[in-house]
Amino acid sequence: MCGIVAAVTQRNIINCLLQSIKRLEYRGYDSSGLALINKNNNFIRFRSVGKVNELIKKIKNKKLFGTIGLAHTRWATHGKVSEENTHPHISSHIAIVHNGIIENSLQLRSFLEKKGYIFYSETDTEVIVHLLHWEQKKTGKPLLEVISNILIKLHGNYSMVIMDSNNSSKLIAVCSGSPLIIGLGVEENFIASDQIALLNITKRFIYLKEGDIAIIKSEKIKIFDKNNLIIQRKIVKSNIKYECINKGKYKHYMEKEIYEQPISIRNTLKNRLKNNTTIYFPELGLKEKNIFLHLEHIQIVACGTSYHAAMVSKHWFESIANIPCDVEVASEFSYRKLAVRKKSFFITLSQSGETADTLRALRISKKLGYLGNLTICNMQGSSLVQESDTCLLTKAGIEIGVASTKSFTTQLTVLLMLVAKIVGIKKKENNIEKQIVKILTILPYRIEEILKKNKEIKNLAKKIYNKKNMLFLGRGDQYPIAMEGALKLKEISYIHAEAYPSGELKHGPLALIDKNVPIIITAPKNSLLEKTKQNIQEICARGGLIYIFSDEEINLEKNITVLKLPYVEEIIAPIFYIIPLQLLAYYIALIKGTNIDQPRNLAKSVTVE
Ligand code: F6R
């Protein structure tokens, strides 16, 4: 959470900083700020509450010049949303932007107050900058040395960039807990939380590693690792096209990303289906294959939408591969006493690869005796990818809308491939693998078909957009789909929604049923459909307002509307049935006029616990 951009160049950097920080708004959009060093070696700082556009408006007609600067977009943690709490924070000649949380900030603050420092904000970041100033004043040492010395006093996460108005030729970046990436230009260099910020400037990046400290000048870069030794980090050439981060013909990124799902799934499958019979993951070597052969249990840990994908895969691992699988929300997994199953393999799922809860769970898992670990992730070079034994990339392409859509369906695609691969390895016969390969080949076409139902779904949105509460029901592998449908609706339309397994309603939630609570049910034709129909009758009898997505004719009663969907193979039904729910949430939010791509209080990359 929070986005950082900084630049040290030979040209006026102001527009570049503003455009780049705007592209990081998905990381937080409570407030934003910018600081430059001017020709007189003084800081000029502007800060604004709200989106980056507010900051742009504030700066627009000012004649500013600076070749070195910092910018930040904030997702509030310590302290309310206010201009005072907005980064950059300054202490005399030192300015800082920070991403993370300093857990012992209150103690440090009280120490600094005793030394006479006056705090203008409630943030933990202001504590860091005053501490730097105090240590430098006290020791007279160069800033780099002072930074290294104070890090041991900071508990928590502190990826940050520091600028010194007494030395306007360099920036110092510290990477701890949240990503920082150096963008290499020609006689200019940049640092940002994500390459998206810099794609229109450069394609050459260095991913800083945990514990790295980098000195960034316009003509050169020096990196020290966590042991304070100079290190050469690999330069990575990005293949992400700048155009990918535009909305194109769509009104919102979320809409674009929903419609991109057939192509994202095609990219995820590309070069991974061999001879139409086997699944091929070049990422997996002999070691992994040996682990797959011997594993007896799978533990998956994830958050939010990724957790819902994991829940679907539990059904696949158990029903197709006959492997017991447990799924847990990362923030729960990390904070309880765990009993690890015998021969268990650990999997994390994440779009961003930076989710603090999931990262923590991975780090904990490494001490618990799992056979090994694997991450299924959308972001190459992310912390989860770097810290996991193995990674299977989802290849959804950059997802900018805060509400995940294409990441979910590509995660499910990789998970289904993984299930088939493990079955192939374990059973040494590839019939199931072959069948799944065949079905996966059809999947993008099936998604194209269902996207054509958009008009009907839009009409449904018009009927129910003004309701205050909704229920989502599903059975078996459709229950996680109901959960994901409810999450999408909550996130972008702010309508209260809850998901239940269809059979669970009679154990309490039936009390909620009346004609003002729409009940959305996904009910594909499968062995559970008759049971679901029974549950539908129970709701009907109590006057519930029912909307069913199904590929089966379901006898119409007065208060039931069936949205007939095309046929889909049972195994891939979860990937298929989430599409109408994504569209429903999108169209409801569109009618309500909410901020679909940047819903209130949220951010895309959740780098705090
Ligand atoms: C919901 C959503 C979040 C994320 C969650 C985990 O639309 O996007 O619930 O799924 O924060 O994020 P990742 O997958 O990046 O670990």
Side-chain angles (χ1 to χ4, degrees), residues 77-97:
T77 52
H78 275 61
K80 61 183 175 292
V81 177
S82 71
E83 198 169 311
E84 293 73 30
N85 288 334
T86 302
H87 304 211
H89 291 283
I90 292 177
S91 186
S92 177
H93 60 98
I94 307 170
I96 187 172
V97 285

Side-chain angles (χ1 to χ4, degrees), residues 303-306 350-352 355 402-404 487-488 491 606:
C303 303
T305 291
S306 299
S350 174
Q351 186 287 127
S352 62
T355 303
V402 163
S404 273
L487 177 63
K488 290 288 89 88
E491 280 181 296
V606 186

